[in-house]
Amino acid sequence: MAEVVILDSRAAAGALVADEIVRLVDEVRNPVLGLATGSTPLPVYEALRERLAGHDVSHVRGFALDEYVGLDVTHPESYRSVITREVIEPLGLDPELIRVPNGALETVRHAGDDYEREIIDAGGVDLQILGIGTDGHIGFNEPGSSFASTTRLKTLTEQTRADNARFFDSLDEVPRHCITQGLGTILRARHLVLLAFGVAKAEAVAAALEGPVSAMIPASAVQLHPHVTVVVDEAAASRLELADYYRYSYENKPSWQGI
Ligand code: GLP
């Protein structure tokens, strides 16, 4: 069962996850972070700015979950640009060690396999940050995705395109395709940390954690993983049947246990 931590604010959630990441950076010889885009992980990256100041981060590797296909990497909304702006630059990470799937049309046929190999060569992901789409997607694994899937080309649903239109001038500009780590790729990370904030995510969070494991809710794949931490605010937790138990369990957690 995933550990579910219900907190008052996004800042508190960001701080909790950032503390765990700092521990990895300081204690693991070759830490590998799984990075997510979207608005959800921003409090984590913000909290990391001050926490990582003065720490040696030259050895930190990272792999982003996904990228748009056919959008120039220099476009401000390409996930390479977003990761550069939100993560690499503010945290002072080595851009060479932070990888994003290659969404260039010319190489997209083998870009998935190339990316899988890079993750394996790096020793796998230690901690994977995840957001969740309103339709229950993680990465860009839309409903119907195989639980065994690896990094590959996917078609975005109209709902996801509409959700992401806010980052572009118009809906027409939102790409129709993406390259995303598969659910199988994500499940190989050693620790999954799923974050969700706001009432718009409440239904997807409840379905993912308390509903049946189903390809219709790709995030329900987390039920198959042995080490999952879900960090949500009250609004995103509002549809969870077991919310009181999660609170009780977290409040009574032995102090020596991390997340
Ligand atoms: C995008 C990303 C996902 C992200 C999701 C939620 O589609 N590919 O990785 O989790 O949207 O976005 P947000 O965090 O902005 O709600």
Side-chain angles (χ1 to χ4, degrees), residues 35-42 65-68 79 129-135 137-142 156 160-161 163-164 166-167 178 180 194-197 201:
L35 303 166
T37 47
S39 43
T40 305
L42 294 180
L65 282 170
D66 43 18
E67 176 61 289
Y68 292 112
Y79 284 172
I129 300 170
L130 295 169
I132 183 169
T134 54
D135 62 358
H137 74 237
I138 48 176
F140 268 137
N141 292 282
E142 300 285 26
L156 297 172
T160 297
R161 290 186 67 238
D163 284 350
N164 287 5
R166 66 188 192 280
F167 298 113
C178 65
T180 180
L194 174 72
L195 296 121
F197 307 121
K201 301 291 175 75

Side-chain angles (χ1 to χ4, degrees), residues 17-154:
V17 178
D19 282 342
E20 181 64 16
I21 291 174
V22 172
R23 196 190 60 72
L24 271 177
V25 169
D26 289 348
E27 292 177 13
V28 173
R29 186 192 288 266
N30 291 305
V32 182
L33 303 178
L35 303 166
T37 47
S39 43
T40 305
L42 294 180
V44 177
Y45 303 143
E46 249 155 59
L48 280 173
R49 285 180 204 201
E50 59 181 62
R51 282 174 173 73
L52 280 181
H55 290 244
D56 177 16
V57 293
S58 61
H59 59 313
V60 176
R61 305 185 71 99
F63 288 91
L65 282 170
D66 43 18
E67 176 61 289
Y68 292 112
V69 165
L71 190 69
D72 200 278
V73 276
T74 61
H75 189 288
E77 293 307 325
S78 79
Y79 284 172
R80 177 81 221 178
S81 296
V82 172
I83 291 286
T84 300
R85 200 164 57 230
E86 308 289 358
V87 184
I88 298 175
E89 286 175 354
L91 303 184
L93 304 183
D94 180 350
E96 290 293 313
L97 298 183
I98 307 300
R99 315 299 294 168
V100 178
N102 184 349
L105 285 171
E106 308 74 51
T107 48
V108 76
R109 276 161 169 267
H110 54 84
D113 289 344
D114 294 348
Y115 203 62
E116 288 291 318
R117 211 166 305 122
E118 280 198 68
I119 295 174
I120 290 166
D121 289 349
V125 169
D126 290 303
L127 184 152
Q128 176 65 57
I129 300 170
L130 295 169
I132 183 169
T134 54
D135 62 358
H137 74 237
I138 48 176
F140 268 137
N141 292 282
E142 300 285 26
S145 294
S146 158
F147 281 34
S149 52
T150 53
T151 308
R152 71 219 182 284
L153 181 77
K154 286 290 284 182

